[in-house]
Amino acid sequence: NNNILRQYFNSIDNVTSQLLANGGGRYLSFPHIAAQDTTNQYAVTNTATKVLWNTLDSGLDFTLNLDSTATATHTGIYKIDYSLQFANSDNALHYAYVWLQVGGVDVVGSGSKFAVPARKSAGNDGYLVAYSSVTFEMTAGQSMALYWATSQGYVVSPLTNGIYMEAY
């Protein structure tokens, strides 16, 4: 019995020492998704607009849907880290607002307000990389989406200077 117990505990020690080592995380697998969009995105002034994703970089236990939502396979607590590049073609500072929706409902505490600086000169827009991290709960089969709005939207025709998301 002692030899069997020693072998058992040695096996457990070998596994836990590998997991707790510097590179141990490589043996763990967590649900995740990494997505991006390769086009500029525009929003009408003061209107909620979904952040679009057209490229799935990687994913595990998430589905990237055609409507730019992501559906979870498992119930759990998740974290989203996002980075959005806002450009301002106007001569005045304007604001961009970003928040998360899960199951079509705004996630409380997920909103962020970003001040996008005015352009420096014609053809030299002001830029801001908006980054935030949000922790939230999802149930299996629920979808999440990221939304944004701006105090002054950029319009192509007729030209109205303002904020847009630049794909870079």
Side-chain angles (χ1 to χ4, degrees):
N1 284 341
N2 286 341
N3 285 338
I4 293 171
L5 286 174
R6 186 176 330 117
Q7 183 180 9
Y8 172 76
F9 286 113
N10 283 340
S11 296
I12 289 176
D13 285 345
N14 288 338
V15 169
T16 56
S17 66
Q18 289 179 0
L19 285 175
L20 299 175
N22 287 343
R26 71 177 179 262
Y27 299 109
L28 301 176
S29 178
F30 296 105
H32 68 278
I33 189 169
Q36 64 174 311
D37 192 79
T38 56
T39 61
N40 291 345
Q41 297 182 37
Y42 304 93
V44 175
T45 300
N46 296 321
T47 303
T49 305
K50 193 181 295 183
V51 174
L52 302 177
W53 302 320
N54 68 7
T55 303
L56 176 65
D57 295 326
S58 69
L60 176 67
D61 294 327
F62 266 94
T63 303
L64 182 61
N65 305 310
L66 294 176
D67 66 349
S68 289
T69 61
T71 303
T73 303
H74 304 286
T75 298
I77 298 173
Y78 293 92
K79 183 177 106 171
I80 183 172
D81 296 319
Y82 64 82
S83 173
L84 307 171
Q85 180 166 290
F86 290 107
N88 184 0
S89 63
D90 198 17
N91 291 326
L93 176 138
H94 293 293
Y95 295 95
Y97 308 88
V98 181
W99 66 97
L100 182 68
Q101 279 191 359
V102 173
V105 178
D106 294 346
V107 174
V108 175
S110 69
S112 294
K113 178 181 178 181
F114 300 98
V116 184
R119 70 181 182 185
K120 304 296 180 197
S121 60
N124 190 9
D125 296 344
Y127 287 94
L128 173 85
V129 175
Y131 171 84
S132 189
S133 183
V134 179
T135 303
F136 59 98
E137 292 184 39
M138 286 180 74
T139 58
Q142 254 187 336
S143 293
M144 55 81 63
L146 201 57
Y147 279 82
W148 72 292
T150 178
S151 60
Q152 177 62 50
Y154 178 89
V155 179
V156 176
S157 181
L159 180 62
T160 302
N161 284 317
I163 293 178
Y164 62 98
M165 265 196 295
E166 183 176 81
Y168 188 76

